[in-house]
Amino acid sequence: MTSQDFRSFFDSAARIVEKALCEEIDVGFLYSGEGLLDSGDNADELLRQNRVFEDERWTRNRSVTSFDMNSKYPELILVSYNNNEEAPNEPEGVVLVWNKKFSKTSPEYIFHCQSPVMSACFARFQPHLILGGTYSGQIVAWDMRAGKRTPIQRSPLSASAHTHPVYCLQVVGTQNAHNLISIATDGKLCSWSLDMLSQPQDTLELQQKTKTVAVTTMSFALGEVNSFLVGSEEGTLYSSSRHGNKAGINEAFEGHHGPLLDLIITKQ
């Protein structure tokens, strides 16, 4: 009963039984890449509150820092949380994966690390992989197939990577050639291979003239790998590039009078 094979079997069986107790539908669907059912519910055109996802232990007294939806399994919602100051013995960083398809009230997956998670996303071309940017500056990765709640990879806390909070994460590229882009609040951009978080493949300092840009949000257009936009703590929007003669900040757009917390480039 203490073997890894038994623990993996018991974990999978427990998820199915929990769903079966709440539903009157086929519950033989697993989120490890071995799906048995087609996913995808018809979206309601009205904006209304449908569900509240909360957990007495893992979400109480924690603020939501980011969320993302799985591209392969659209019913899976990833939410990252800050630390709970009233529970100093609990992990400071928490990521929960909720399932909006089933009526179960507990998270589908629970992940955590020892630094508050400021940003998190599903890996675009590896939907079983979850990436997180932490307050300490570490980039962490969890795997829904691994059967463990702690990261399977993490970046070093060194000058070669991030040492400031990371609020921006995005996977860019194609199925066969993609990278994780992260930016910390000191304006340092890092490009990572998802197979190796021990050292960034490339770095870039984002500065406006001689001033460091305190980046709080970032967005690449779909299919774009070079040009991107960042929003800053002081409320300025910047157009930027990763490569070429104009690598770095290219143009500034002022108009906001507070921190930019989210940014998205939509396809026309």
Side-chain angles (χ1 to χ4, degrees), residues 12 15 29-35 72-73 76 108-109 127-128 143-146:
S12 297
R15 296 181 197 281
F29 190 91
L30 298 176
Y31 289 95
S32 60
E34 304 160 359
K72 185 173 183 180
Y73 308 116
L76 291 186
E108 191 76 32
Y109 293 95
H128 58 273
D143 194 329
M144 293 194 294
R145 306 169 303 177

Side-chain angles (χ1 to χ4, degrees), residues 2-253:
T2 60
S3 69
Q4 181 61 42
D5 288 343
F6 178 80
R7 288 199 297 268
S8 297
F9 161 76
F10 186 83
D11 182 64
S12 297
R15 296 181 197 281
I16 295 174
V17 171
E18 186 178 14
K19 293 172 184 173
L21 293 174
C22 299
E23 305 290 343
E24 296 181 357
I25 62 175
D26 187 346
V27 294
F29 190 91
L30 298 176
Y31 289 95
S32 60
E34 304 160 359
L36 302 179
L37 298 176
D38 290 331
S39 62
D41 298 330
N42 294 327
D44 192 337
E45 294 181 356
L46 297 178
L47 182 63
R48 60 192 176 108
Q49 180 174 297
N50 240 346
R51 294 272 299 277
V52 175
F53 297 98
E54 58 184 355
D55 182 90
E56 178 66 22
R57 176 182 178 184
W58 294 109
T59 67
R60 187 177 184 183
N61 298 321
R62 295 181 185 268
S63 59
V64 172
T65 54
S66 70
F67 70 92
D68 192 24
M69 300 186 70
N70 195 295
S71 58
K72 185 173 183 180
Y73 308 116
E75 64 269 38
L76 291 186
I77 304 171
L78 175 158
V79 185
S80 64
Y81 300 86
N82 211 327
N83 61 312
N84 179 0
E85 295 182 355
E86 296 185 8
N89 295 324
E90 292 283 3
E92 290 199 351
V94 171
V95 170
L96 303 180
V97 178
W98 299 96
N99 192 323
K100 64 185 179 69
K101 182 177 181 179
F102 295 98
S103 299
K104 56 176 283 190
T105 58
S106 60
E108 191 76 32
Y109 293 95
I110 300 170
F111 301 106
H112 52 70
C113 64
Q114 291 307 311
S115 179
V117 181
M118 312 314 297
S119 55
C121 66
F122 288 106
R124 182 178 168 199
F125 302 104
Q126 302 179 54
H128 58 273
L129 200 62
I130 294 172
L131 308 167
T134 67
Y135 187 81
S136 67
Q138 278 191 311
I139 306 298
V140 294
W142 298 274
D143 194 329
M144 293 194 294
R145 306 169 303 177
K148 58 185 294 188
R149 294 182 174 183
T150 54
I152 61 167
Q153 280 197 84
R154 64 184 77 213
S155 67
L157 284 172
S158 69
S160 66
H162 294 302
T163 56
H164 287 70
V166 178
Y167 288 91
C168 311
L169 289 177
Q170 190 171 342
V171 176
V172 300
T174 64
Q175 176 72 47
N176 297 322
H178 53 269
N179 296 95
L180 171 67
I181 306 300
S182 62
I183 308 180
T185 54
D186 63 346
K188 186 173 186 176
L189 180 151
C190 291
S191 174
W192 308 86
S193 166
L194 297 184
D195 296 326
M196 186 180 69
L197 296 182
S198 58
Q199 185 172 348
Q201 292 183 321
D202 193 19
T203 63
L204 177 67
E205 301 291 338
L206 298 180
Q207 294 183 336
Q208 172 68 351
K209 298 180 180 179
T210 59
K211 181 183 177 182
T212 297
V213 176
V215 178
T216 50
T217 182
M218 165 189 69
S219 182
F220 284 79
L222 184 64
E224 180 61 64
V225 296
N226 183 41
S227 300
F228 60 100
L229 296 176
V230 296
S232 66
E233 194 174 64
E234 73 271 13
T236 305
L237 179 69
Y238 298 95
S239 64
S240 313
S241 301
R242 292 174 57 202
H243 308 296
N245 296 330
K246 294 185 177 180
I249 298 294
N250 297 326
E251 193 173 358
F253 305 91

